[in-house]
Amino acid sequence: MDAERHALRIQRGLRFGADHPRAWQPSRGTRFVIRDPKPRRITVVPFEDRVVHHVLCAALLPDLERFSIHDSYACRVGGGQQRAIRRAQRFARGVPWALKADIAAFFATVPLENLFGRLERRGPDPEVFRWVRRCVLVVRPGPERRGLAIGTLLSQHLANFYLGSLDHYVKDTLGVKRYIRYMDDLLAFGERDELRELRERIRCFGRDELGLGLNAAGTRVMPTRDGVPFLGMRVYPGTVRVRPARWRRFTARVAELEADARAGRIDEAALAQRLSSVFAHLEHYDTGQLRRSWLQRRSAARGGRLERLQPRHPGRLLEEHPGQRAGRQPQQEAPVQAQRQPGVSGLQLSVGRQMGLRSDACRPDGPGSRTGLLCHSADPLSVLRPVGLGRGTEEPRPGGGGVAVVPGPLGKKGP
């Protein structure tokens, strides 16, 4: 509610300059460790700091975007994991070998002074650069001038920018055409001997120019027909499969959400929304049979009945509120069920309800007869005349037919 007041206060603090004693001060944030699957130290900064990070990134992004190559897919508008995986599959077609490489402990080993020097040469606004430097140094994970904090927006964009120098070395200097990078995951496609030489050149450039090393276990040359591991998937020339570790994390996530729902920490609507997002990510790849077999096993474990996630299902409402009549709407808002009249079809009643006519006023002994169905809640100058289910010139059939509303004075032709 006080967003404008807080924004103006932050604006005044930023205008003082990064070195002014009355300037806005960034926070170190809160740190915790997750295992997904390997341990990672995550930094969460306060909401106010996140607002400032967005402002600084908005000022930096035009320069960073001009420096990026086409096949860099992290932290960019129009990028993302799905596009990167589809691009890798397109490169894998017709190419026998692939080089898979990634940087060892990338975020924790980035030399900050080297990063700041490369960023300053890109020519951002001097005051923006000073604020970026101050925010990064405050939240760095260790006392040394190395490492970017995982979990902040600035760290993601700066880490992606830092490896842009490697992209230009591979594409411009070495002339590699089939090359993809998503943050610190690298893919190149070509002949076996060429990729082995490329691996050594990348290793030397990363060590000498960037101060980074390759992960020995995750860097290797492999045939594309066996599938290339990339971003939790295994990319083949003709298909994309989920890797076992990614599938285990998926099933663990589903079990965690269901446990939260049983404990009452989230409601069924939130459960359905989160599960839908989890499944939607897998639907982009060739996982139909895998998801179908998993759902069948879950159904068999629950007695052969697959529970559908429909929070407003009448059966569930009846179990939650046995004293009320279950339905798609709350009981106090549910329309009154109209009484079926002799000689009046269900279509007439339904059309009458849709046009706002009170069905409780339509009694067989009242004005709601078949030849003039006029309810008290309707406009007195509007009447319902019987028509056939086809064209308006057809004669009404005995015991059936539809109704049409004739608005305005009598005698005017209705729709």
Side-chain angles (χ1 to χ4, degrees), residues 127-176:
E127 192 60 34
V128 171
F129 173 76
R130 283 192 289 269
W131 275 115
V132 169
R133 182 186 180 95
R134 184 177 182 84
C135 291
V136 170
L137 291 178
V138 166
V139 300
R140 68 183 185 273
E144 300 178 358
R145 294 296 181 96
R146 296 183 71 90
L148 291 169
I150 302 177
T152 65
L153 186 65
L154 267 177
S155 298
Q156 296 177 23
H157 285 283
L158 292 179
N160 190 53
F161 159 75
Y162 190 60
L163 286 182
S165 301
L166 176 62
D167 298 339
H168 285 281
Y169 172 73
V170 173
K171 297 286 290 184
D172 302 337
T173 304
L174 303 181
V176 179

Side-chain angles (χ1 to χ4, degrees), residues 250-269:
F250 162 76
T251 55
R253 178 59 177 164
V254 172
E256 179 183 352
L257 290 174
E258 291 180 341
D260 290 342
R262 286 192 297 269
R265 289 186 288 269
I266 59 175
D267 57 7
E268 289 193 359

Side-chain angles (χ1 to χ4, degrees), residues 329-386:
Q329 297 176 338
Q331 188 177 10
Q332 63 271 16
E333 298 178 3
V336 180
Q337 183 69 26
Q339 298 291 332
R340 182 69 177 271
Q341 303 180 38
V344 179
S345 68
L347 180 61
Q348 289 175 303
L349 293 178
S350 64
V351 172
R353 287 195 298 270
Q354 293 173 3
M355 299 305 299
L357 306 180
R358 291 179 54 192
S359 57
D360 55 349
C362 302
R363 303 296 183 187
D365 53 349
S369 63
R370 185 178 183 277
T371 57
L373 186 60
L374 178 61
C375 301
H376 300 297
S377 63
D379 187 356
L381 299 181
S382 299
V383 297
L384 297 175
R385 58 181 174 81

